[in-house]
Amino acid sequence: MLQEVSERYPLVLHSVGLSLGGLSPLDLDYLKQVKALKQETGALWYSEHASFSGNNDFKVPDLLPLPYTEEAVDHLSQRIMQVQEFMGERILLENVSTYLSCQFNEMTEGEFIAAVADKADCYLLLDINNAYVTAKNLDQEMQTFMDVIPVERVKQIHLAGFHDKGDFLLDAHNHAVDQKVWQAFELFIEKNGAIPSMIEWDNDLPPLARLLQEREIAASILASAKPVTQAATAFRGSYALS
């Protein structure tokens, strides 16, 4: 079925299984399968998360945040470069939703993501919903994060809905995109030009018509955007809006 889909639509691969920021050696067998799948489907790119998921002895089905330190910048960058060498291309790095902060942080999340992208020379997958969820959970300013993201490296954007648990927001992908997230998306696109964007809705799926309503909002915002700058286009490569 996936092969048939790939014959009609452009695909991208998005992984949660590599534990890119972990301390255990990278699973090259896993990467080999990802690379083969990418070749079989003609997928445009492969993305991972700025997080870890345990170690060899203990794994969790979640994306755990890293400390925002120079040591972590070096560690994650080296791992990304190892993956990129194996894949033979740049990958995309996504910011994750967080629910607590590390007392040893030496920089903000935005500064951390920007430093890693620069050192590893990778692309970014900007998840605006994750940025909003993190800002609300940690009582931070979302715009502080957005302002330091190197837009020329952003090759894709994610949008999603969260579950308001009262004391915190859960990145559950089971609701429509929040109005504040739409506003942040529109502002970012208005300032920086149209960038391929995707809405994630993984749980409690509504009727297709409701999903298409969400898509139309995103499509309208992208359609009204100014052209991407020549410098950004040259860095990201040429691609059609999706």
Side-chain angles (χ1 to χ4, degrees), residues 146-160:
M146 301 290 285
D147 286 344
V148 298
I149 293 297
V151 65
E152 70 277 3
R153 291 188 180 272
V154 178
K155 194 161 184 170
Q156 185 181 3
I157 291 174
H158 273 181
L159 303 162

Side-chain angles (χ1 to χ4, degrees), residues 21-119:
L23 295 176
S24 303
L26 290 170
D27 188 342
L28 297 184
D29 288 336
Y30 177 83
L31 273 179
K32 185 182 298 183
Q33 294 178 66
V34 171
K35 187 174 183 177
L37 181 63
K38 186 174 182 298
Q39 292 171 342
E40 290 171 10
T41 61
L44 299 176
W45 56 74
Y46 163 55
S47 56
E48 256 293 353
H49 296 81
S51 64
F52 72 104
S53 302
N55 54 39
N56 284 338
D57 300 320
F58 182 77
K59 295 186 183 299
V60 296
D62 209 338
L63 303 169
L64 305 176
L66 298 164
Y68 305 138
T69 63
E70 291 291 348
E71 182 182 17
V73 168
D74 292 341
H75 173 70
L76 183 56
S77 300
Q78 289 296 324
R79 306 255 292 184
I80 291 173
M81 287 187 283
Q82 185 180 349
V83 172
Q84 292 184 149
E85 182 177 359
F86 185 91
M87 296 293 292
E89 61 187 24
R90 289 189 182 107
I91 66 170
L92 281 64
L93 181 70
E94 180 184 352
N95 57 296
V96 298
S97 295
T98 56
Y99 307 91
L100 50 83
S101 59
C102 176
Q103 61 178 318
F104 304 112
N105 284 346
E106 300 168 355
M107 61 191 79
T108 67
E109 181 190 14
E111 292 169 339
F112 176 78
I113 294 292
V116 170
D118 181 65
K119 191 157 191 172

